[in-house]
Amino acid sequence: MGGIGSGGNGRLTDAEKLAKGTFRSDRTDEIYAAKAAEKVITGPWLTTIPEPTIPLNEVGRKKYDEITALLFAGNKLTKVTCGDCERMAVMHQQMHERLTAGKSVSMDLIKRMDAISVRLRIAEDAPAIANPNQKNRFDGSGFSNSRASPFRLRAGKSGAGEL
């Protein structure tokens, strides 16, 4: 179980199996392709962004629209993820209210928001903020490619075991 070659990535083709004499009709490429096709999820993705089912103020609605638009663009918007988007919008709304009142935001609220964002997998397909053409200032730092030692070892005497 497990180990190298157990995932089927290095699988021989049907022609190679015939040449080796190990071909079995119950393990053809077509059967493996059919099994893989059964595992493809064609879930209940939504075709439009629905209205939130809970009342949100202006701040919460803006956050809801932002998150659902990201998920919709990534073809990840379902009824379940819409519920998570609503909860995230409510928490963002609460955070905004606490900060405008001059109060601090509880770490529990931040952790719950982080958990929802991880579950929604928003950051996987989010657009990059940095300029990809800009040179990284740390590109030249690090170890050099050739790290030759300045010390050389003396060659040993030819006689083994001699002192």
Side-chain angles (χ1 to χ4, degrees), residues 6-125:
S6 64
N9 296 334
R11 185 178 309 133
L12 298 174
T13 63
D14 289 343
E16 292 170 333
K17 290 177 188 175
L18 281 169
K20 285 179 71 174
T22 59
F23 178 77
R24 289 178 45 181
S25 60
D26 61 334
R27 296 188 183 207
T28 62
D29 290 337
E30 292 83 23
I31 290 177
Y32 283 122
K35 285 181 182 180
E38 291 174 0
K39 295 179 183 178
V40 174
I41 300 171
T42 56
W45 288 281
L46 300 176
T47 56
T48 60
I49 297 174
E51 291 293 316
T53 59
I54 55 176
L56 298 170
N57 65 13
E58 183 181 335
V59 173
R61 179 58 192 247
K62 186 176 176 185
K63 184 54 95 173
Y64 175 80
D65 290 340
E66 176 188 339
I67 296 171
T68 53
L70 280 172
L71 291 174
F72 187 75
N75 201 22
K76 296 180 184 177
L77 191 64
T78 64
K79 287 189 176 192
V80 174
T81 56
C82 271
D84 283 342
C85 291
E86 289 176 352
R87 284 186 285 282
M88 179 71 106
V90 168
M91 288 183 215
H92 185 75
Q93 192 172 283
Q94 290 173 353
M95 181 187 297
H96 184 266
E97 289 170 359
R98 291 191 61 83
L99 288 173
T100 54
K103 298 179 181 177
S104 63
V105 179
S106 68
M107 198 63 193
D108 182 53
L109 180 63
I110 294 172
K111 286 180 183 178
R112 286 186 286 151
M113 289 177 73
D114 286 345
I116 289 176
S117 65
V118 167
R119 191 167 58 231
L120 289 175
R121 296 181 307 197
I122 295 171
E124 288 178 357
D125 299 326

